[in-house]
Amino acid sequence: MSWQLRRATPADLDAIMAIESSEFANDAWSSDMMSAELGNRHGYYVVANPVGEPTRVTAYAGLRATAGSTQADIQTIAVEPNARRHGVGRALMNALMVEARTRGAGELFLEVRADNPAAQRLYDSLGFESIAVRPNYYQPDGVDAVVMRLTIPEPKLSPAVGA
């Protein structure tokens, strides 16, 4: 299956919240919190939909990156179970990494549940490194957060083939 990525809009709130509440049952953001994030000028949220189904959101991710700051934060990422293991999470993360770099960030941070090895493997494969643990960060479950950091690589330019 192929996906299209696009910037999230307030019209995507219900679809995002359906995924949010199903994937993060005990620590899901409220609709008001997510709505505020979608409208925040320092935020950048992206949704994924299957090609040809522009209103069917199957994944989303969000970034907080103040223009001109050298650091940015991944706020959230979620992929519906039926869309996992097809590269959509990696595509969302790459889109956020590009946006963070565009806004001037050289470092990107995130927190991931210590009991989510699949997400940790994805972040490791993208070059993130574990730098700290925040005990009991995720409530009410009392699960630790692993803090990860990525030094965002500079874009590499190369000549076009055949030039």
Side-chain angles (χ1 to χ4, degrees), residues 8-88:
T9 70
D12 296 311
L13 180 62
D14 289 343
I16 289 171
M17 289 309 301
I19 298 169
E20 177 78 11
S21 59
S22 69
E23 295 304 309
F24 305 115
N26 291 335
D27 55 357
W29 290 12
S30 71
S31 183
D32 287 343
M33 286 175 61
M34 188 64 74
S35 178
E37 283 293 305
L38 292 175
N40 188 306
R41 67 185 178 98
H42 301 296
Y44 181 79
Y45 280 71
V46 180
V47 295
N49 59 274
V51 172
E53 299 179 59
T55 61
R56 183 175 161 229
V57 174
T58 57
Y60 65 91
L63 173 75
R64 173 66 61 96
T66 305
S69 175
T70 60
Q71 298 179 339
D73 295 288
I74 301 291
Q75 299 289 42
T76 187
I77 180 170
V79 179
E80 287 183 344
N82 63 347
R84 292 185 187 144
R85 309 284 309 153
H86 296 285
V88 70

Side-chain angles (χ1 to χ4, degrees), residues 109-131:
F109 295 86
L110 61 81
E111 290 91 15
V112 58
R113 287 177 67 109
D115 63 356
N116 190 345
Q120 291 175 41
R121 283 190 301 274
L122 171 62
Y123 306 142
D124 284 337
S125 74
L126 290 168
F128 283 83
E129 62 180 342
S130 299
I131 60 169

Side-chain angles (χ1 to χ4, degrees), residues 111-112 114 130-137 143-148:
E111 290 91 15
V112 58
S130 299
I131 60 169
V133 173
R134 292 191 174 146
N136 302 310
Y137 181 81
V143 174
D144 294 349
V146 177
V147 180
M148 302 184 84

